[in-house]
Amino acid sequence: MNGGRLASRGGLDSTLRVGPVRYRLRTPLPSVARDIRAAYQGYPFDDPDDCAEFEVNLRPTRWWRRFIRPQITVRTDIHTPMVPLPGSMGLLAAEMGMNLQVALGMRRCLLLHASTVERDGLAYIFPAGSGSGKSTLSAALGFSGDWRFMGDEFALIDLDTGLALPFPRPISLKNQSIAVMRALARDGVFSAAFETSHKGTISFLTPPADAIRRMNEPARPAAIIFPTFEAGAAPHGEAMTRADVFVHLASSSANFDFLGEAGFETMWRLAETCPGFMLRYGSTAAAIELVDAVRRTVTP
Amino acid sequence: MSERYISHIHRDCVIREADGIHFLYHRPAGQTHILPPHAYLLLEAAAAAPASFDDLLRALATGYALDGSAEERAGLLEHLATLIEAGLIETMP
């Protein structure tokens, strides 16, 4: 990282590439810079070939807020009003800003609110809302060693090729999922736990090294799996009709309405070529077994 | 009801079908429509040639048991109004 003036004072002013997305991250706050560097260890910072497309600037709300009860706000290219957060939540603010910029500005890919894993060159996409367990499922598979983690927040589908592009940002774990993943990823790099009013406790887990190293390797989508975690539920899987898959995919996309005909065709190709499944489970172990059963049905 | 109905779905839309449901991407509006079989049947009938209300009712009767009651006619009018609002059907004198 070079980072110029801000970095020389302990801050951060760097480009960061995650899969096909190039960010510029800036902050004058050393503690925030430190947390970002720790969560993104192993990622390509300041590659001279990278031209940032999204800027996320984490600044004190007032100059004196840098020193007294530090409070930060996120400034971004695509302006979205965000509630200021305590300075100790800088990484959370950065992740929120990075998510929003992609959700609002990505036009090169079809964007699904989904996690993704890969095995044998095939991508398995888990579209679901917040709290469904999609992050935990993809993290557990990724840290099992048998699957490659490709992303836990957005699945990026290339408009030209239909391939799933990796977007392996630090994994956002909430509440009980943090303990589940601490047990499964004993050598994992976890951020501090952030207490939030609307989502409970959040901690970020840096993806496995393999996921970061292979962040430029796309994969062909093989199945669309809609996961639902339900405490105490018996494992259950159900095949979906193609029409149902399309409708559910459309409702899980952040940019389908903005992509026009290319978005429609990409979504259709996904629904046409990938069988869809609804999975309900009560434990991560059961979820992994269900996903593996899907894998066996879709691979030759 | 002397007005006639016409649809340009084959000119204006990308049309895909799965499980009896039609998915239309309407280029002029940039919108995707998900249509049940009876709604798509109406569009096809109006796309083949400008059609009167009774023509459309007859087309619908090929796929559904209809008796031409006032209730059915009111229902068809409501469907047509929805399709007109979506820009998938136009009226002509």
Side-chain angles (χ1 to χ4, degrees):
Chain A
M1 279 177 264
N2 50 39
R5 190 169 56 87
L6 286 177
S8 69
R9 296 177 182 177
L12 179 70
D13 183 358
S14 289
T15 60
L16 165 69
R17 178 160 43 81
V18 186
V21 179
R22 291 154 173 84
Y23 291 103
R24 182 183 182 191
L25 302 180
R26 301 177 73 195
T27 183
L29 301 169
S31 61
V32 177
R34 196 168 50 244
D35 287 350
I36 292 174
R37 287 191 190 105
Y40 282 91
Q41 58 183 269
Y43 284 74
F45 279 92
D46 292 321
D47 185 325
D49 291 335
D50 286 345
C51 179
E53 55 194 314
F54 299 117
E55 178 165 332
V56 176
N57 191 349
L58 302 143
R59 302 191 59 77
T61 49
R62 298 277 186 279
W63 71 267
W64 48 269
R65 281 289 199 178
R66 190 170 171 176
F67 310 104
I68 303 167
R69 285 197 299 160
Q71 192 181 56
I72 52 171
T73 187
V74 185
R75 294 183 188 173
T76 50
D77 290 329
I78 305 168
H79 179 67
T80 47
M82 290 175 71
V83 178
L85 290 171
S88 59
M89 292 192 175
L91 178 61
L92 180 65
E95 290 297 314
M96 287 165 60
M98 291 163 82
N99 276 343
L100 268 173
Q101 293 305 286
V102 169
L104 297 174
M106 173 56 74
R107 297 290 182 270
R108 290 180 286 134
C109 300
L110 178 67
L111 205 60
L112 302 172
H113 193 201
S115 61
T116 312
V117 294
E118 177 263 352
R119 186 159 166 176
D120 300 327
L122 299 175
Y124 298 78
I125 299 169
F126 308 127
S130 189
S132 60
K134 70 179 187 306
S135 292
T136 314
L137 177 56
S138 60
L141 288 165
F143 277 92
S144 73
D146 296 326
W147 301 74
R148 173 167 59 118
F149 172 82
M150 291 181 72
D152 82 312
E153 188 66 24
F154 293 119
L156 275 54
I157 309 298
D158 188 285
L159 294 176
D160 295 324
T161 64
L163 296 176
L165 308 180
F167 188 47
R169 300 243 311 282
I171 304 157
S172 170
L173 300 170
K174 299 172 193 77
N175 303 314
Q176 293 92 333
S177 299
I178 300 169
V180 169
M181 284 313 302
R182 279 198 179 276
L184 293 175
R186 294 191 182 281
D187 297 328
V189 177
F190 290 81
S191 76
F194 304 106
E195 300 298 332
T196 70
S197 56
H198 60 302
K199 289 188 174 176
T201 309
I202 298 177
S203 178
F204 295 97
L205 168 60
T206 301
D210 181 55
I212 301 169
R213 186 174 52 80
R214 297 172 62 193
M215 66 163 64
N216 296 323
E217 287 181 34
R220 183 165 63 79
I224 312 291
I225 299 170
F226 295 87
T228 305
F229 171 80
E230 195 181 306
H236 177 74
E238 200 173 306
M240 300 168 69
T241 65
R242 189 178 298 166
D244 262 352
V245 172
F246 186 95
V247 170
H248 280 77
L249 281 177
S251 66
S252 76
S253 176
N255 66 353
F256 177 60
D257 289 339
F258 301 112
L259 296 177
E261 192 168 342
F264 178 86
E265 292 287 22
T266 302
M267 184 80 80
W268 183 261
R269 179 162 47 173
L270 203 55
E272 190 175 39
T273 56
C274 296
F277 301 87
M278 289 276 190
L279 301 187
R280 192 177 65 242
Y281 49 87
S283 72
T284 304
I288 290 174
E289 278 184 27
L290 285 170
V291 172
D292 207 43
V294 167
R295 180 187 66 82
R296 290 193 298 272
T297 67
V298 301
T299 48
Chain B
M1 294 183 197
S2 59
E3 65 187 355
R4 295 165 80 77
Y5 299 88
I6 188 162
S7 173
H8 300 293
I9 51 166
H10 295 294
R11 182 192 70 190
D12 292 343
C13 296
V14 181
I15 303 170
R16 299 284 184 265
E17 186 272 337
D19 311 306
I21 308 292
H22 282 82
F23 299 83
L24 273 64
Y25 177 73
H26 189 217
R27 292 190 190 97
Q31 287 191 323
T32 298
H33 300 281
I34 301 170
L35 298 177
H38 68 276
Y40 188 72
L41 197 154
L42 288 174
L43 292 183
E44 279 289 8
S52 67
F53 182 86
D54 286 330
D55 291 338
L56 294 177
L57 197 59
R58 271 192 295 277
L60 210 51
T62 61
Y64 299 88
L66 301 179
D67 57 15
S69 67
E71 193 182 342
E72 283 174 359
R73 296 177 77 85
L76 176 55
L77 262 183
E78 204 174 307
H79 279 307
L80 288 172
T82 305
L83 293 170
I84 290 167
E85 192 180 357
L88 297 173
I89 277 190
E90 296 169 22
T91 54
M92 51 193 292

